[in-house]
Amino acid sequence: MQSSAAMRRIEGMERISLTPGRLYARLSAEFAMLRSAQCSSCHMPLPQVVHRGPAKKDEANWTVGPVPSVCEACKPVVEDIARRTSYFYDVHDPMSGDIRRTRFGPGS
């Protein structure tokens, strides 16, 4: 496992934009490699877009959904994968518009 210093995002480095499906594929593939050998029922939660304000531009624009009932061995694996990959990827979904611009968004 890499040190936390190695995982820090390099200042000024842009995150790679991925569709939600591609991000999930990466998260899920890593989870499949790292999960407990005794566990066959746990899975990586789906990533969910979160809107960040200008003051939080250093944070990812996604998080993983609620962690389902996972075994105690898999829960920290899910959390670690999400934490590490959040430094490098943002979600860009060309199929969904900005919720703030719809009639159902804030300020409607």
Side-chain angles (χ1 to χ4, degrees):
M1 191 175 276
Q2 297 181 0
S3 71
S4 62
M7 295 310 302
R8 277 192 215 119
R9 210 164 60 97
I10 298 169
E11 179 125 2
M13 183 178 113
E14 294 293 321
R15 284 184 174 84
I16 298 168
S17 291
L18 297 175
T19 62
R22 287 183 188 243
L23 177 60
Y24 179 71
R26 287 177 186 244
L27 297 172
S28 185
E30 187 169 352
F31 179 72
M33 290 187 302
L34 298 175
R35 75 175 172 204
S36 171
Q38 292 80 25
C39 184
S40 62
S41 62
C42 294
H43 63 278
M44 189 74 192
L46 293 170
Q48 298 178 343
V49 174
V50 293
H51 294 285
R52 61 177 179 231
K56 295 185 178 189
K57 65 181 179 180
D58 289 338
E59 296 179 11
N61 70 344
W62 61 274
T63 186
V64 291
V67 178
S69 299
V70 295
C71 65
E72 290 303 312
C74 290
K75 185 174 181 176
V77 174
V78 167
E79 292 168 349
D80 183 57
I81 291 170
R83 181 189 55 77
R84 285 186 292 107
T85 56
S86 70
Y87 293 115
F88 301 104
Y89 301 107
D90 263 346
V91 170
H92 171 68
D93 187 357
M95 300 304 289
S96 66
D98 186 343
I99 193 166
R100 294 169 291 185
R101 295 183 187 165
T102 67
R103 65 186 185 128
F104 301 110
S108 301

PDB file of all heavy atoms in Angstrom, residues 6-42:
ATOM      1  N   ALA A   6       2.361   9.775  -0.780  1.00  0.00           N
ATOM      2  CA  ALA A   6       2.371   9.384  -2.195  1.00  0.00           C
ATOM      3  C   ALA A   6       1.000   9.532  -2.821  1.00  0.00           C
ATOM      4  O   ALA A   6       0.872   9.713  -4.026  1.00  0.00           O
ATOM      5  CB  ALA A   6       2.867   7.947  -2.340  1.00  0.00           C
ATOM      6  N   MET A   7      -0.046   9.469  -2.006  1.00  0.00           N
ATOM      7  CA  MET A   7      -1.401   9.540  -2.535  1.00  0.00           C
ATOM      8  C   MET A   7      -1.918  10.968  -2.644  1.00  0.00           C
ATOM      9  O   MET A   7      -2.919  11.216  -3.269  1.00  0.00           O
ATOM     10  CB  MET A   7      -2.365   8.725  -1.666  1.00  0.00           C
ATOM     11  CG  MET A   7      -2.086   7.243  -1.679  1.00  0.00           C
ATOM     12  SD  MET A   7      -1.912   6.542  -3.322  1.00  0.00           S
ATOM     13  CE  MET A   7      -3.459   6.965  -4.059  1.00  0.00           C
ATOM     14  N   ARG A   8      -1.228  11.938  -2.022  1.00  0.00           N
ATOM     15  CA  ARG A   8      -1.682  13.322  -2.102  1.00  0.00           C
ATOM     16  C   ARG A   8      -1.623  13.797  -3.538  1.00  0.00           C
ATOM     17  O   ARG A   8      -0.684  13.521  -4.263  1.00  0.00           O
ATOM     18  CB  ARG A   8      -0.814  14.224  -1.237  1.00  0.00           C
ATOM     19  CG  ARG A   8      -1.249  14.192   0.181  1.00  0.00           C
ATOM     20  CD  ARG A   8      -0.572  15.315   0.961  1.00  0.00           C
ATOM     21  NE  ARG A   8      -0.344  14.783   2.284  1.00  0.00           N
ATOM     22  CZ  ARG A   8       0.829  14.637   2.855  1.00  0.00           C
ATOM     23  NH1 ARG A   8       1.914  15.018   2.263  1.00  0.00           N
ATOM     24  NH2 ARG A   8       0.918  14.116   4.055  1.00  0.00           N
ATOM     25  N   ARG A   9      -2.631  14.549  -3.904  1.00  0.00           N
ATOM     26  CA  ARG A   9      -2.692  15.092  -5.245  1.00  0.00           C
ATOM     27  C   ARG A   9      -1.634  16.167  -5.393  1.00  0.00           C
ATOM     28  O   ARG A   9      -1.438  16.992  -4.522  1.00  0.00           O
ATOM     29  CB  ARG A   9      -4.086  15.684  -5.473  1.00  0.00           C
ATOM     30  CG  ARG A   9      -4.531  15.621  -6.877  1.00  0.00           C
ATOM     31  CD  ARG A   9      -6.022  15.854  -6.957  1.00  0.00           C
ATOM     32  NE  ARG A   9      -6.427  17.123  -6.435  1.00  0.00           N
ATOM     33  CZ  ARG A   9      -6.647  18.195  -7.169  1.00  0.00           C
ATOM     34  NH1 ARG A   9      -6.511  18.148  -8.462  1.00  0.00           N
ATOM     35  NH2 ARG A   9      -7.032  19.311  -6.621  1.00  0.00           N
ATOM     36  N   ILE A  10      -0.962  16.160  -6.514  1.00  0.00           N
ATOM     37  CA  ILE A  10       0.052  17.168  -6.791  1.00  0.00           C
ATOM     38  C   ILE A  10      -0.651  18.499  -7.027  1.00  0.00           C
ATOM     39  O   ILE A  10      -1.617  18.578  -7.782  1.00  0.00           O
ATOM     40  CB  ILE A  10       0.892  16.764  -8.012  1.00  0.00           C
ATOM     41  CG1 ILE A  10       1.625  15.456  -7.733  1.00  0.00           C
ATOM     42  CG2 ILE A  10       1.864  17.866  -8.383  1.00  0.00           C
ATOM     43  CD1 ILE A  10       2.264  14.836  -8.937  1.00  0.00           C
ATOM     44  N   GLU A  11      -0.170  19.542  -6.370  1.00  0.00           N
ATOM     45  CA  GLU A  11      -0.779  20.868  -6.506  1.00  0.00           C
ATOM     46  C   GLU A  11      -0.863  21.255  -7.976  1.00  0.00           C
ATOM     47  O   GLU A  11       0.083  21.138  -8.727  1.00  0.00           O
ATOM     48  CB  GLU A  11       0.036  21.896  -5.750  1.00  0.00           C
ATOM     49  CG  GLU A  11      -0.525  23.272  -5.881  1.00  0.00           C
ATOM     50  CD  GLU A  11      -0.792  23.922  -4.547  1.00  0.00           C
ATOM     51  OE1 GLU A  11      -0.498  23.316  -3.512  1.00  0.00           O
ATOM     52  OE2 GLU A  11      -1.298  25.025  -4.569  1.00  0.00           O
ATOM     53  N   GLY A  12      -2.030  21.714  -8.386  1.00  0.00           N
ATOM     54  CA  GLY A  12      -2.234  22.145  -9.760  1.00  0.00           C
ATOM     55  C   GLY A  12      -2.594  21.023 -10.712  1.00  0.00           C
ATOM     56  O   GLY A  12      -2.925  21.272 -11.857  1.00  0.00           O
ATOM     57  N   MET A  13      -2.514  19.782 -10.282  1.00  0.00           N
ATOM     58  CA  MET A  13      -2.845  18.654 -11.142  1.00  0.00           C
ATOM     59  C   MET A  13      -4.356  18.535 -11.266  1.00  0.00           C
ATOM     60  O   MET A  13      -5.066  18.525 -10.266  1.00  0.00           O
ATOM     61  CB  MET A  13      -2.276  17.362 -10.548  1.00  0.00           C
ATOM     62  CG  MET A  13      -2.502  16.150 -11.413  1.00  0.00           C
ATOM     63  SD  MET A  13      -1.752  14.697 -10.648  1.00  0.00           S
ATOM     64  CE  MET A  13      -3.218  13.769 -10.272  1.00  0.00           C
ATOM     65  N   GLU A  14      -4.840  18.486 -12.477  1.00  0.00           N
ATOM     66  CA  GLU A  14      -6.270  18.348 -12.697  1.00  0.00           C
ATOM     67  C   GLU A  14      -6.692  16.894 -12.516  1.00  0.00           C
ATOM     68  O   GLU A  14      -5.953  15.980 -12.877  1.00  0.00           O
ATOM     69  CB  GLU A  14      -6.629  18.804 -14.114  1.00  0.00           C
ATOM     70  CG  GLU A  14      -6.405  20.279 -14.354  1.00  0.00           C
ATOM     71  CD  GLU A  14      -7.340  21.160 -13.550  1.00  0.00           C
ATOM     72  OE1 GLU A  14      -8.529  20.801 -13.419  1.00  0.00           O
ATOM     73  OE2 GLU A  14      -6.875  22.191 -13.042  1.00  0.00           O
ATOM     74  N   ARG A  15      -7.881  16.714 -11.994  1.00  0.00           N
ATOM     75  CA  ARG A  15      -8.433  15.362 -11.897  1.00  0.00           C
ATOM     76  C   ARG A  15      -8.848  14.897 -13.286  1.00  0.00           C
ATOM     77  O   ARG A  15      -9.247  15.695 -14.130  1.00  0.00           O
ATOM     78  CB  ARG A  15      -9.651  15.354 -10.990  1.00  0.00           C
ATOM     79  CG  ARG A  15      -9.317  15.437  -9.542  1.00  0.00           C
ATOM     80  CD  ARG A  15     -10.607  15.312  -8.728  1.00  0.00           C
ATOM     81  NE  ARG A  15     -10.312  15.246  -7.328  1.00  0.00           N
ATOM     82  CZ  ARG A  15     -10.107  16.323  -6.566  1.00  0.00           C
ATOM     83  NH1 ARG A  15     -10.174  17.520  -7.087  1.00  0.00           N
ATOM     84  NH2 ARG A  15      -9.832  16.190  -5.291  1.00  0.00           N
ATOM     85  N   ILE A  16      -8.806  13.617 -13.495  1.00  0.00           N
ATOM     86  CA  ILE A  16      -9.270  13.017 -14.739  1.00  0.00           C
ATOM     87  C   ILE A  16     -10.780  12.886 -14.654  1.00  0.00           C
ATOM     88  O   ILE A  16     -11.308  12.366 -13.668  1.00  0.00           O
ATOM     89  CB  ILE A  16      -8.613  11.642 -14.954  1.00  0.00           C
ATOM     90  CG1 ILE A  16      -7.097  11.810 -15.066  1.00  0.00           C
ATOM     91  CG2 ILE A  16      -9.196  10.949 -16.175  1.00  0.00           C
ATOM     92  CD1 ILE A  16      -6.331  10.512 -14.989  1.00  0.00           C
ATOM     93  N   SER A  17     -11.498  13.350 -15.669  1.00  0.00           N
ATOM     94  CA  SER A  17     -12.962  13.239 -15.688  1.00  0.00           C
ATOM     95  C   SER A  17     -13.369  11.905 -16.293  1.00  0.00           C
ATOM     96  O   SER A  17     -12.910  11.546 -17.381  1.00  0.00           O
ATOM     97  CB  SER A  17     -13.576  14.371 -16.523  1.00  0.00           C
ATOM     98  OG  SER A  17     -13.408  15.596 -15.863  1.00  0.00           O
ATOM     99  N   LEU A  18     -14.216  11.192 -15.583  1.00  0.00           N
ATOM    100  CA  LEU A  18     -14.732   9.905 -16.042  1.00  0.00           C
ATOM    101  C   LEU A  18     -16.248   9.911 -15.945  1.00  0.00           C
ATOM    102  O   LEU A  18     -16.820  10.594 -15.090  1.00  0.00           O
ATOM    103  CB  LEU A  18     -14.208   8.764 -15.162  1.00  0.00           C
ATOM    104  CG  LEU A  18     -12.706   8.527 -15.137  1.00  0.00           C
ATOM    105  CD1 LEU A  18     -12.382   7.443 -14.110  1.00  0.00           C
ATOM    106  CD2 LEU A  18     -12.198   8.126 -16.497  1.00  0.00           C
ATOM    107  N   THR A  19     -16.902   9.137 -16.779  1.00  0.00           N
ATOM    108  CA  THR A  19     -18.341   8.956 -16.629  1.00  0.00           C
ATOM    109  C   THR A  19     -18.564   8.138 -15.367  1.00  0.00           C
ATOM    110  O   THR A  19     -17.659   7.433 -14.898  1.00  0.00           O
ATOM    111  CB  THR A  19     -18.947   8.209 -17.830  1.00  0.00           C
ATOM    112  OG1 THR A  19     -18.370   6.899 -17.894  1.00  0.00           O
ATOM    113  CG2 THR A  19     -18.727   8.963 -19.137  1.00  0.00           C
ATOM    114  N   PRO A  20     -19.761   8.204 -14.788  1.00  0.00           N
ATOM    115  CA  PRO A  20     -20.022   7.405 -13.587  1.00  0.00           C
ATOM    116  C   PRO A  20     -19.757   5.911 -13.810  1.00  0.00           C
ATOM    117  O   PRO A  20     -19.216   5.235 -12.934  1.00  0.00           O
ATOM    118  CB  PRO A  20     -21.500   7.668 -13.294  1.00  0.00           C
ATOM    119  CG  PRO A  20     -21.772   9.004 -13.904  1.00  0.00           C
ATOM    120  CD  PRO A  20     -20.899   9.062 -15.126  1.00  0.00           C
ATOM    121  N   GLY A  21     -20.100   5.414 -14.984  1.00  0.00           N
ATOM    122  CA  GLY A  21     -19.878   3.990 -15.277  1.00  0.00           C
ATOM    123  C   GLY A  21     -18.413   3.612 -15.312  1.00  0.00           C
ATOM    124  O   GLY A  21     -18.018   2.566 -14.804  1.00  0.00           O
ATOM    125  N   ARG A  22     -17.594   4.461 -15.928  1.00  0.00           N
ATOM    126  CA  ARG A  22     -16.154   4.171 -15.982  1.00  0.00           C
ATOM    127  C   ARG A  22     -15.513   4.274 -14.600  1.00  0.00           C
ATOM    128  O   ARG A  22     -14.638   3.491 -14.254  1.00  0.00           O
ATOM    129  CB  ARG A  22     -15.461   5.097 -16.962  1.00  0.00           C
ATOM    130  CG  ARG A  22     -15.775   4.722 -18.389  1.00  0.00           C
ATOM    131  CD  ARG A  22     -15.016   5.594 -19.351  1.00  0.00           C
ATOM    132  NE  ARG A  22     -15.497   5.334 -20.684  1.00  0.00           N
ATOM    133  CZ  ARG A  22     -14.756   4.843 -21.654  1.00  0.00           C
ATOM    134  NH1 ARG A  22     -13.496   4.571 -21.438  1.00  0.00           N
ATOM    135  NH2 ARG A  22     -15.276   4.626 -22.840  1.00  0.00           N
ATOM    136  N   LEU A  23     -15.950   5.256 -13.822  1.00  0.00           N
ATOM    137  CA  LEU A  23     -15.420   5.366 -12.459  1.00  0.00           C
ATOM    138  C   LEU A  23     -15.810   4.130 -11.657  1.00  0.00           C
ATOM    139  O   LEU A  23     -14.974   3.540 -10.969  1.00  0.00           O
ATOM    140  CB  LEU A  23     -15.927   6.633 -11.770  1.00  0.00           C
ATOM    141  CG  LEU A  23     -15.493   6.805 -10.313  1.00  0.00           C
ATOM    142  CD1 LEU A  23     -13.967   6.847 -10.186  1.00  0.00           C
ATOM    143  CD2 LEU A  23     -16.117   8.059  -9.722  1.00  0.00           C
ATOM    144  N   TYR A  24     -17.077   3.716 -11.768  1.00  0.00           N
ATOM    145  CA  TYR A  24     -17.505   2.529 -11.033  1.00  0.00           C
ATOM    146  C   TYR A  24     -16.718   1.298 -11.472  1.00  0.00           C
ATOM    147  O   TYR A  24     -16.336   0.476 -10.639  1.00  0.00           O
ATOM    148  CB  TYR A  24     -19.004   2.280 -11.210  1.00  0.00           C
ATOM    149  CG  TYR A  24     -19.443   1.041 -10.474  1.00  0.00           C
ATOM    150  CD1 TYR A  24     -19.503   1.021  -9.084  1.00  0.00           C
ATOM    151  CD2 TYR A  24     -19.757  -0.124 -11.159  1.00  0.00           C
ATOM    152  CE1 TYR A  24     -19.867  -0.122  -8.401  1.00  0.00           C
ATOM    153  CE2 TYR A  24     -20.128  -1.269 -10.480  1.00  0.00           C
ATOM    154  CZ  TYR A  24     -20.182  -1.266  -9.107  1.00  0.00           C
ATOM    155  OH  TYR A  24     -20.529  -2.400  -8.433  1.00  0.00           O
ATOM    156  N   ALA A  25     -16.448   1.176 -12.761  1.00  0.00           N
ATOM    157  CA  ALA A  25     -15.682   0.026 -13.249  1.00  0.00           C
ATOM    158  C   ALA A  25     -14.292  -0.005 -12.609  1.00  0.00           C
ATOM    159  O   ALA A  25     -13.817  -1.064 -12.195  1.00  0.00           O
ATOM    160  CB  ALA A  25     -15.573   0.068 -14.776  1.00  0.00           C
ATOM    161  N   ARG A  26     -13.656   1.153 -12.490  1.00  0.00           N
ATOM    162  CA  ARG A  26     -12.335   1.216 -11.854  1.00  0.00           C
ATOM    163  C   ARG A  26     -12.414   0.873 -10.367  1.00  0.00           C
ATOM    164  O   ARG A  26     -11.600   0.120  -9.849  1.00  0.00           O
ATOM    165  CB  ARG A  26     -11.714   2.593 -12.029  1.00  0.00           C
ATOM    166  CG  ARG A  26     -11.237   2.842 -13.437  1.00  0.00           C
ATOM    167  CD  ARG A  26     -10.695   4.253 -13.581  1.00  0.00           C
ATOM    168  NE  ARG A  26     -10.378   4.500 -14.966  1.00  0.00           N
ATOM    169  CZ  ARG A  26      -9.157   4.733 -15.410  1.00  0.00           C
ATOM    170  NH1 ARG A  26      -8.154   4.771 -14.576  1.00  0.00           N
ATOM    171  NH2 ARG A  26      -8.953   4.949 -16.691  1.00  0.00           N
ATOM    172  N   LEU A  27     -13.392   1.474  -9.688  1.00  0.00           N
ATOM    173  CA  LEU A  27     -13.556   1.211  -8.259  1.00  0.00           C
ATOM    174  C   LEU A  27     -13.855  -0.267  -8.015  1.00  0.00           C
ATOM    175  O   LEU A  27     -13.277  -0.895  -7.128  1.00  0.00           O
ATOM    176  CB  LEU A  27     -14.688   2.061  -7.684  1.00  0.00           C
ATOM    177  CG  LEU A  27     -14.525   3.581  -7.722  1.00  0.00           C
ATOM    178  CD1 LEU A  27     -15.827   4.255  -7.290  1.00  0.00           C
ATOM    179  CD2 LEU A  27     -13.375   4.028  -6.861  1.00  0.00           C
ATOM    180  N   SER A  28     -14.759  -0.808  -8.799  1.00  0.00           N
ATOM    181  CA  SER A  28     -15.184  -2.192  -8.633  1.00  0.00           C
ATOM    182  C   SER A  28     -14.050  -3.178  -8.928  1.00  0.00           C
ATOM    183  O   SER A  28     -13.885  -4.173  -8.221  1.00  0.00           O
ATOM    184  CB  SER A  28     -16.390  -2.463  -9.541  1.00  0.00           C
ATOM    185  OG  SER A  28     -16.894  -3.740  -9.313  1.00  0.00           O
ATOM    186  N   ALA A  29     -13.266  -2.901  -9.965  1.00  0.00           N
ATOM    187  CA  ALA A  29     -12.140  -3.784 -10.296  1.00  0.00           C
ATOM    188  C   ALA A  29     -11.109  -3.799  -9.170  1.00  0.00           C
ATOM    189  O   ALA A  29     -10.596  -4.860  -8.798  1.00  0.00           O
ATOM    190  CB  ALA A  29     -11.498  -3.342 -11.607  1.00  0.00           C
ATOM    191  N   GLU A  30     -10.837  -2.634  -8.611  1.00  0.00           N
ATOM    192  CA  GLU A  30      -9.881  -2.582  -7.504  1.00  0.00           C
ATOM    193  C   GLU A  30     -10.438  -3.297  -6.279  1.00  0.00           C
ATOM    194  O   GLU A  30      -9.724  -4.026  -5.592  1.00  0.00           O
ATOM    195  CB  GLU A  30      -9.519  -1.142  -7.166  1.00  0.00           C
ATOM    196  CG  GLU A  30      -8.414  -1.078  -6.144  1.00  0.00           C
ATOM    197  CD  GLU A  30      -7.828   0.301  -5.959  1.00  0.00           C
ATOM    198  OE1 GLU A  30      -8.158   1.233  -6.718  1.00  0.00           O
ATOM    199  OE2 GLU A  30      -7.017   0.439  -5.021  1.00  0.00           O
ATOM    200  N   PHE A  31     -11.731  -3.098  -6.023  1.00  0.00           N
ATOM    201  CA  PHE A  31     -12.349  -3.770  -4.882  1.00  0.00           C
ATOM    202  C   PHE A  31     -12.277  -5.286  -5.045  1.00  0.00           C
ATOM    203  O   PHE A  31     -11.979  -6.015  -4.088  1.00  0.00           O
ATOM    204  CB  PHE A  31     -13.801  -3.330  -4.707  1.00  0.00           C
ATOM    205  CG  PHE A  31     -14.484  -4.001  -3.567  1.00  0.00           C
ATOM    206  CD1 PHE A  31     -14.157  -3.679  -2.258  1.00  0.00           C
ATOM    207  CD2 PHE A  31     -15.447  -4.967  -3.793  1.00  0.00           C
ATOM    208  CE1 PHE A  31     -14.780  -4.319  -1.199  1.00  0.00           C
ATOM    209  CE2 PHE A  31     -16.071  -5.601  -2.739  1.00  0.00           C
ATOM    210  CZ  PHE A  31     -15.735  -5.284  -1.431  1.00  0.00           C
ATOM    211  N   ALA A  32     -12.525  -5.776  -6.254  1.00  0.00           N
ATOM    212  CA  ALA A  32     -12.477  -7.222  -6.500  1.00  0.00           C
ATOM    213  C   ALA A  32     -11.087  -7.793  -6.209  1.00  0.00           C
ATOM    214  O   ALA A  32     -10.960  -8.921  -5.726  1.00  0.00           O
ATOM    215  CB  ALA A  32     -12.879  -7.523  -7.939  1.00  0.00           C
ATOM    216  N   MET A  33     -10.051  -6.998  -6.474  1.00  0.00           N
ATOM    217  CA  MET A  33      -8.685  -7.464  -6.204  1.00  0.00           C
ATOM    218  C   MET A  33      -8.337  -7.427  -4.717  1.00  0.00           C
ATOM    219  O   MET A  33      -7.549  -8.242  -4.250  1.00  0.00           O
ATOM    220  CB  MET A  33      -7.674  -6.609  -6.967  1.00  0.00           C
ATOM    221  CG  MET A  33      -7.693  -6.819  -8.459  1.00  0.00           C
ATOM    222  SD  MET A  33      -6.353  -5.949  -9.324  1.00  0.00           S
ATOM    223  CE  MET A  33      -6.629  -4.252  -8.852  1.00  0.00           C
ATOM    224  N   LEU A  34      -8.928  -6.475  -3.984  1.00  0.00           N
ATOM    225  CA  LEU A  34      -8.509  -6.251  -2.597  1.00  0.00           C
ATOM    226  C   LEU A  34      -9.434  -6.823  -1.529  1.00  0.00           C
ATOM    227  O   LEU A  34      -9.039  -6.892  -0.368  1.00  0.00           O
ATOM    228  CB  LEU A  34      -8.352  -4.744  -2.352  1.00  0.00           C
ATOM    229  CG  LEU A  34      -7.298  -4.035  -3.195  1.00  0.00           C
ATOM    230  CD1 LEU A  34      -7.333  -2.537  -2.932  1.00  0.00           C
ATOM    231  CD2 LEU A  34      -5.914  -4.609  -2.930  1.00  0.00           C
ATOM    232  N   ARG A  35     -10.651  -7.194  -1.906  1.00  0.00           N
ATOM    233  CA  ARG A  35     -11.580  -7.655  -0.880  1.00  0.00           C
ATOM    234  C   ARG A  35     -11.125  -8.965  -0.258  1.00  0.00           C
ATOM    235  O   ARG A  35     -10.300  -9.683  -0.817  1.00  0.00           O
ATOM    236  CB  ARG A  35     -12.988  -7.784  -1.436  1.00  0.00           C
ATOM    237  CG  ARG A  35     -13.195  -8.979  -2.315  1.00  0.00           C
ATOM    238  CD  ARG A  35     -14.643  -9.089  -2.707  1.00  0.00           C
ATOM    239  NE  ARG A  35     -14.784 -10.135  -3.697  1.00  0.00           N
ATOM    240  CZ  ARG A  35     -15.767 -10.197  -4.551  1.00  0.00           C
ATOM    241  NH1 ARG A  35     -16.698  -9.283  -4.541  1.00  0.00           N
ATOM    242  NH2 ARG A  35     -15.815 -11.177  -5.413  1.00  0.00           N
ATOM    243  N   SER A  36     -11.697  -9.261   0.856  1.00  0.00           N
ATOM    244  CA  SER A  36     -11.353 -10.468   1.603  1.00  0.00           C
ATOM    245  C   SER A  36     -11.613 -11.710   0.740  1.00  0.00           C
ATOM    246  O   SER A  36     -12.640 -11.798   0.067  1.00  0.00           O
ATOM    247  CB  SER A  36     -12.199 -10.533   2.871  1.00  0.00           C
ATOM    248  OG  SER A  36     -12.045 -11.773   3.507  1.00  0.00           O
ATOM    249  N   ALA A  37     -10.705 -12.645   0.779  1.00  0.00           N
ATOM    250  CA  ALA A  37     -10.846 -13.877  -0.013  1.00  0.00           C
ATOM    251  C   ALA A  37     -12.056 -14.701   0.442  1.00  0.00           C
ATOM    252  O   ALA A  37     -12.632 -15.452  -0.342  1.00  0.00           O
ATOM    253  CB  ALA A  37      -9.582 -14.709   0.089  1.00  0.00           C
ATOM    254  N   GLN A  38     -12.453 -14.538   1.704  1.00  0.00           N
ATOM    255  CA  GLN A  38     -13.590 -15.287   2.226  1.00  0.00           C
ATOM    256  C   GLN A  38     -14.931 -14.648   1.842  1.00  0.00           C
ATOM    257  O   GLN A  38     -15.982 -15.230   2.054  1.00  0.00           O
ATOM    258  CB  GLN A  38     -13.527 -15.393   3.753  1.00  0.00           C
ATOM    259  CG  GLN A  38     -12.401 -16.255   4.270  1.00  0.00           C
ATOM    260  CD  GLN A  38     -11.062 -15.528   4.276  1.00  0.00           C
ATOM    261  OE1 GLN A  38     -10.997 -14.315   4.344  1.00  0.00           O
ATOM    262  NE2 GLN A  38      -9.986 -16.291   4.176  1.00  0.00           N
ATOM    263  N   CYS A  39     -14.902 -13.449   1.299  1.00  0.00           N
ATOM    264  CA  CYS A  39     -16.137 -12.730   1.012  1.00  0.00           C
ATOM    265  C   CYS A  39     -16.469 -12.797  -0.474  1.00  0.00           C
ATOM    266  O   CYS A  39     -15.655 -12.440  -1.315  1.00  0.00           O
ATOM    267  CB  CYS A  39     -16.006 -11.272   1.443  1.00  0.00           C
ATOM    268  SG  CYS A  39     -17.532 -10.373   1.203  1.00  0.00           S
ATOM    269  N   SER A  40     -17.670 -13.218  -0.769  1.00  0.00           N
ATOM    270  CA  SER A  40     -18.104 -13.232  -2.167  1.00  0.00           C
ATOM    271  C   SER A  40     -19.381 -12.418  -2.371  1.00  0.00           C
ATOM    272  O   SER A  40     -19.849 -12.271  -3.485  1.00  0.00           O
ATOM    273  CB  SER A  40     -18.326 -14.670  -2.635  1.00  0.00           C
ATOM    274  OG  SER A  40     -19.357 -15.262  -1.871  1.00  0.00           O
ATOM    275  N   SER A  41     -19.938 -11.863  -1.288  1.00  0.00           N
ATOM    276  CA  SER A  41     -21.209 -11.154  -1.418  1.00  0.00           C
ATOM    277  C   SER A  41     -21.079  -9.635  -1.404  1.00  0.00           C
ATOM    278  O   SER A  41     -21.989  -8.936  -1.829  1.00  0.00           O
ATOM    279  CB  SER A  41     -22.168 -11.592  -0.312  1.00  0.00           C
ATOM    280  OG  SER A  41     -21.622 -11.266   0.943  1.00  0.00           O
ATOM    281  N   CYS A  42     -19.961  -9.100  -0.943  1.00  0.00           N
ATOM    282  CA  CYS A  42     -19.799  -7.649  -0.876  1.00  0.00           C
ATOM    283  C   CYS A  42     -19.489  -7.087  -2.252  1.00  0.00           C
ATOM    284  O   CYS A  42     -18.905  -7.756  -3.099  1.00  0.00           O
ATOM    285  CB  CYS A  42     -18.675  -7.285   0.082  1.00  0.00           C
ATOM    286  SG  CYS A  42     -19.033  -7.701   1.796  1.00  0.00           S
TER     287      CYS A  42
END
